[in-house]
Amino acid sequence: MSGALLEARGLALAFGGVRAADGVDLEVAPGEILAIIGPNGAGKTTFLNMVTGYLRPQAGSIRFAGREIAGLPPRRIVRLGIARSFQIPQLFAEHRVIENVALHLAARDGFWAPFRPLLSPARRSEALAILDDLELAPLAEARADTLDEGARKLVDIAMALALRPRLLLMDEPTSGVAASEKHAIMDRLVAALRRASVTAVFVEHDMEVVARHADRVAVWSQGRIRAEGPPEAVLADPLVRREVIGVEGAPC
Amino acid sequence: MRRLLPVAAAVGLLLLLAGLQPWLRFVLTIALSTGLAVLGIAMLLRAGQVSFGHALYVAAGAYAVAFARPHTGEGLLLLLLAGLVATGLGLLVGLFVTRYRDIFFGMLNLAFSMVGWSLLEKLYGLTRGTDGIRVARPTLLGFALEGAAWEWALFSAALAAALLAGALVASYLRSPAGEALGAIKTRETRLEFAGISARRVLLQAYVVSATLAGLGGAIGALATLHVTPLLAYWTHSGELVFVAILGGTGNVLGPFLGAVVFELVRVHAAAAFPDAWQMILGLVLLAIVLAAARGLVGLLDDLAVRLGWRG
Ligand SMILES: Nc1ncnc2c1ncn2[C@@H]1O[C@H](COP(=O)(O)OP(=O)(O)OP(=O)(O)O)[C@@H](O)[C@H]1O
Ligand SMILES: [Mg+2]
């Protein structure tokens, strides 16, 4: 038994002939920020989907804080303290940004109180603080379906943060965010995560972001982890450079 | 305060109409009772779900009054009982139908209401079939009233119920569980990833909608003093959805506004064109849907903005 917060062992999942997970072993230590890199179709999103209960692995185990969670429904897993953001943002399109976040704040407590408004003063200011961490405060009153792709990605993360998770999984958090803003936003996001000592795993295609923010990198390829270690070492590995960074030229 | 202004205006207008035209007291009482049922439909519409079977709960409330009337003479007690019966039935059916969405949700509600309708028709010994059951006029708060006094009392009770229900539902719709109805419409799975059961959100609203429909049915039964299986028939369910769209779902006033306009058009059109009033209602709805997708309340809202009453 290790001190890992998340521990995956021998995860396997195939879609027909496609092995999206083919024996994934991974540990994430408390407080760590881990980046997952790898070419398109390597199985990165599939891994997040298994951890969050959206997909059930065909083999293997997933332990969170020592407890087996593989196969539990998403709702149960969230309640244990794992939140996620999505590769394709999943927003409540007809609600305002602040309401999207406040619904997630309410999900932790007071959700069923029938006569207390969603945007109580306390919840409003808490939501604004989270939005401010991602430089989204000016968009608080905008309807979610009026946002551009980059802002939608960030609101999606703000919603996950509002659940105050112990472990946050993010699927390509800055794809769609303008290159000029990427680093500033990641700086603030990572600082916020460290302040709240949230453990985080994020899938990322931008190697600069990985080098700058991750404590550790895991390299995915064809449903397996090919390399793992500190960013400087992994990103310098010739195999990784050829297999992963080589395909990065192609936009995805 | 600004929110209360339109409500006060609506109440004033209703009282004026009911005072000026005695026969309108009955029509408006019916309209308010329909509005209660439509308010429930409007809650479900927020979640993008259309029930084509809510007449079942209207009938449940109405028949609860008819069955209980021989055992109690107090009208308010009858209303309470009707609300409880409809709530229980709503919970029972709701546990099943809230697993489904969209066309399946709509059709399953229709199916349950058709079962209810045929039971009311076929169990003659219990329900007296298509003849229906006459309801003896009860007392209200212990007062045995007749004529205009009874009409005013029942109209006031309907108005009070509408105001209370409107206020409670408006507050509920602003609460997290109420706001989550709209989230079911746009991105239900994300609710699950927030740790919230979307089904529970919908079930809660569904049960409330059944309660409201039952209450509406009970007030309607006290107004007409006669209940028939037609109350549960699918055309009645369709009518409730029709009125919900007519009135608009953006605001709890919509269902009542829609119901009042619907009843007034029906009464006048039926008098003027006995054979064509349905067609006239159809054309009115067509005009509303084409001209104002947010219904009559949306239309009024736009007007208020244009006149500079609100920003
Ligand atoms: N629900 C599914 N049904 C069928 N095939 C799937 C499903 N989900 C993923 N796959 C397949 O599994 C493989 C891994 O997909 P996954 O989305 O995990 O890749 P990824 O590493 O996240 O890629 P990207 O960088 O493009 O997001 C792909 O071949 C994909 O087509
Ligand atoms: Mg992916």
Side-chain angles (χ1 to χ4, degrees):
Chain A
M1 184 65 224
S2 64
L5 180 65
L6 183 76
E7 187 184 358
R9 288 271 165 262
L11 288 184
L13 180 58
F15 299 104
V18 180
R19 292 188 177 163
D22 188 15
V24 174
D25 296 306
L26 183 70
E27 286 186 11
V28 183
E32 181 176 39
I33 294 186
L34 172 80
I36 294 177
I37 64 174
N40 294 125
K44 306 179 296 291
T45 298
T46 300
F47 174 72
L48 300 191
N49 282 340
M50 288 188 294
V51 173
T52 53
Y54 186 72
L55 293 173
R56 175 191 280 271
Q58 287 156 345
S61 84
I62 307 169
R63 297 182 80 80
F64 176 67
R67 182 180 167 166
E68 182 62 46
I69 60 167
L72 291 183
R75 219 190 311 146
R76 295 273 306 281
I77 293 177
V78 173
R79 299 221 157 262
L80 294 173
I82 302 181
R84 76 176 285 188
S85 70
F86 293 79
Q87 187 166 351
I88 298 164
Q90 305 285 310
L91 310 187
F92 304 131
E94 294 180 3
H95 283 91
R96 288 176 288 151
V97 166
I98 193 165
E99 291 165 337
N100 271 270
V101 175
L103 272 166
H104 282 69
L105 288 172
R108 285 176 310 144
D109 75 303
F111 191 87
W112 302 104
F115 302 117
R116 182 166 166 238
L118 172 66
L119 289 178
S120 65
R123 234 181 246 134
R124 174 179 279 280
S125 62
E126 203 179 342
L128 280 174
I130 291 170
L131 288 171
D132 194 42
D133 273 337
L134 296 170
E135 301 186 348
L136 288 171
L139 293 177
E141 300 299 329
R143 242 174 78 137
D145 56 3
T146 64
L147 305 179
D148 63 36
E149 171 72 8
R152 286 216 302 275
K153 295 288 306 224
L154 297 175
V155 170
D156 193 294
I157 296 171
M159 290 156 80
L161 278 173
L163 295 169
R164 305 281 183 220
R166 288 174 71 189
L167 174 63
L168 175 63
L169 309 174
M170 294 175 281
D171 204 345
E172 306 190 12
T174 62
S175 71
V177 178
S180 54
E181 299 166 16
K182 229 176 207 183
H183 286 297
I185 284 169
M186 275 308 276
D187 285 348
R188 294 196 65 158
L189 172 60
V190 168
L193 293 174
R194 298 219 192 266
R195 250 194 333 269
S197 52
V198 175
T199 308
V201 174
F202 69 105
V203 175
E204 184 57 71
H205 282 290
D206 184 326
M207 293 309 132
E208 260 184 72
V209 171
V210 171
R212 182 152 154 179
H213 296 291
D215 300 322
R216 203 156 60 90
V217 184
V219 183
W220 244 253
S221 168
Q222 297 181 1
R224 284 166 167 275
I225 298 176
R226 299 290 157 158
E228 219 183 310
E232 320 80 68
V234 170
L235 296 181
D237 181 334
L239 182 83
V240 172
R241 295 194 69 86
R242 199 177 60 245
E243 280 215 354
V244 182
I245 307 177
V247 290
E248 286 314 305
C252 39
Chain B
M1 266 296 105
R2 296 212 102 178
R3 270 210 299 269
L4 289 182
L5 208 66
V7 178
V11 170
L13 192 65
L14 285 181
L15 286 172
L16 193 71
L17 285 174
L20 287 179
Q21 292 280 355
W23 62 273
L24 272 182
R25 283 195 289 271
F26 173 77
V27 173
L28 292 177
T29 304
I30 294 290
L32 287 169
S33 75
T34 303
L36 284 169
V38 174
L39 182 59
I41 298 276
M43 290 172 71
L44 299 175
L45 281 175
R46 292 216 167 194
Q49 305 306 312
V50 188
S51 165
F52 286 110
H54 259 52
L56 176 68
Y57 304 111
V58 175
Y63 272 85
V65 167
F67 284 133
R69 177 62 188 88
H71 308 288
T72 169
E74 174 48 45
L76 293 188
L77 191 63
L78 290 171
L79 292 185
L80 186 73
L81 252 157
L84 285 176
V85 167
T87 305
L89 186 62
L91 179 62
L92 223 63
V93 174
L95 280 170
F96 180 71
V97 297
T98 54
R99 292 162 185 261
Y100 299 88
R101 298 288 177 274
D102 306 327
I103 189 75
F104 302 101
F105 178 85
M107 290 300 117
L108 280 170
N109 274 288
L110 176 66
F112 275 103
S113 75
M114 290 309 275
V115 170
W117 169 75
S118 55
L119 286 178
L120 292 177
E121 276 230 319
K122 300 289 179 297
L123 299 179
Y124 188 87
L126 202 64
T127 64
R128 322 220 47 231
T130 45
D131 296 345
I133 305 173
R134 299 219 132 270
V135 178
R137 183 177 299 159
T139 58
L140 278 180
L141 285 174
F143 294 100
L145 303 167
E146 301 225 7
W150 161 256
E151 281 173 23
W152 272 115
L154 192 61
F155 171 72
S156 310
L159 191 56
L163 285 170
L164 185 68
L168 292 178
V169 169
S171 164
Y172 170 70
L173 289 176
R174 277 192 300 274
S175 81
E179 289 285 358
L181 287 169
I184 289 181
K185 179 169 154 201
T186 52
R187 194 66 76 192
E188 174 166 351
T189 45
R190 186 64 191 255
L191 273 184
E192 299 285 330
F193 280 100
I196 298 300
S197 161
R199 194 178 152 210
R200 187 170 159 195
V201 170
L202 189 57
L203 178 62
Q204 207 175 56
Y206 189 88
V207 172
V208 173
S209 75
T211 310
L212 290 169
L215 214 68
I219 293 175
L222 291 187
T224 56
L225 297 177
H226 188 203
V227 302
T228 73
L230 272 184
L231 286 169
Y233 201 55
W234 64 271
T235 52
H236 188 204
S237 292
E239 199 174 287
L240 298 175
V241 174
F242 179 111
V243 176
I245 293 166
L246 177 70
T249 57
N251 178 316
V252 294
L253 271 180
F256 296 102
L257 184 63
V260 167
V261 169
F262 177 82
E263 290 298 338
L264 289 179
V265 171
R266 164 149 68 189
V267 167
H268 283 102
F273 315 93
D275 299 322
W277 67 272
Q278 276 115 333
M279 191 176 84
I280 292 181
L281 276 177
L283 291 176
V284 168
L285 184 71
L286 202 64
I288 291 289
V289 170
L290 293 179
R294 291 181 300 131
L296 292 173
V297 276
L299 214 59
L300 288 183
D301 214 37
D302 293 344
L303 193 68
V305 170
R306 194 167 304 171
L307 292 176
W309 292 351
R310 42 183 295 179

